[in-house]
Amino acid sequence: MDQVEKIEDFYKRKYGWIPENIKKEIGHFNVFRVEPHYGKDPRPIPYKRRDFYKVTLVRGNNKIYYADRVVEVKRQALVFTNPFIPYAFEDLQKIEGGYYCIFNQSFFHQFGNLDQYDVFQPEGIHVFDLSDDQLEQVESVYLKMFDEIESDYKFKYDVLRNHVFELLHFAMKIQPSLISGKKQVNASRRISTLFMELLERQFPIDEDHRNVKLRSASDFADQLAIHVNHLNRALKETANKTTTQVIAERILQESKVLLKQSEWTVSEIAYALGFVEVTHFNNFFKKYTEQSPTRFRNA
């Protein structure tokens, strides 16, 4: 089972081939057109983490699902996704077209840390609705990407990096107008958002993302540099649940996925989810489901 889509997996799933230059030290970059889907059964974009960045210009009304929220694309939008946050589009049949580029952190080696920009941060805005004029401006950047990547210019990848930054800064410049009409997010909401980001970063569990490190409310409070009581109050206010409840529900959700979809033993799953003893995992699972992990797996 592979719950993190690597850039090689993306190519195999989407195109059935892997570019020869994908392993080069320069890192990887590519740009594609989003073609509208025709037919009854579009192949869904899986809800999972990717190990690459993606900047998408999408046309057509749609919804993008994240772990803690749903964002609607009304007509057309510029969408930024990063390796840490799982997402999925609601309905591929609603997508009318667009463009997207993909790249990894290695592509920007010595050119800065992408995660410092708001569009790639957990509390940042990731989806930017565009006017028709803004759509035209963004489309022109993607068309320049297509021209450049097909060229023989020696330094074309430097130019392509600049085009990515052009999109990034274009979005961040229009960000204030998007924020001004919204209510200011209070402290509890900010804390809850950061907590959920830390929690979700630990999932899904797979071969490269082997075990849960943060298990208790105090573990998360330490990471957020706040008192555990402050974290508990924030989650009680925003989710009407305790921190322990939220953590337990997410671990239970992941345990069910691993029991049904992986070939790991119950002991391996228990270890991956942070349980010291398999009996502790068995007791935990029975408490919430009234059946043992083995019985659930075999049902």
Side-chain angles (χ1 to χ4, degrees), residues 5 27 31 37 43 61 73 144 147 211 215 249 251 276:
E5 184 175 52
V31 59
H37 175 80
R43 188 173 182 181
N61 176 256
V73 175
K144 287 188 288 185
D147 289 340
N211 62 322
R215 278 291 310 273
E249 288 174 1
I251 290 175
V276 178

Side-chain angles (χ1 to χ4, degrees), residues 264-272 278:
W264 292 355
T265 66
V266 172
S267 295
E268 289 172 331
I269 292 172
Y271 170 76
V278 68

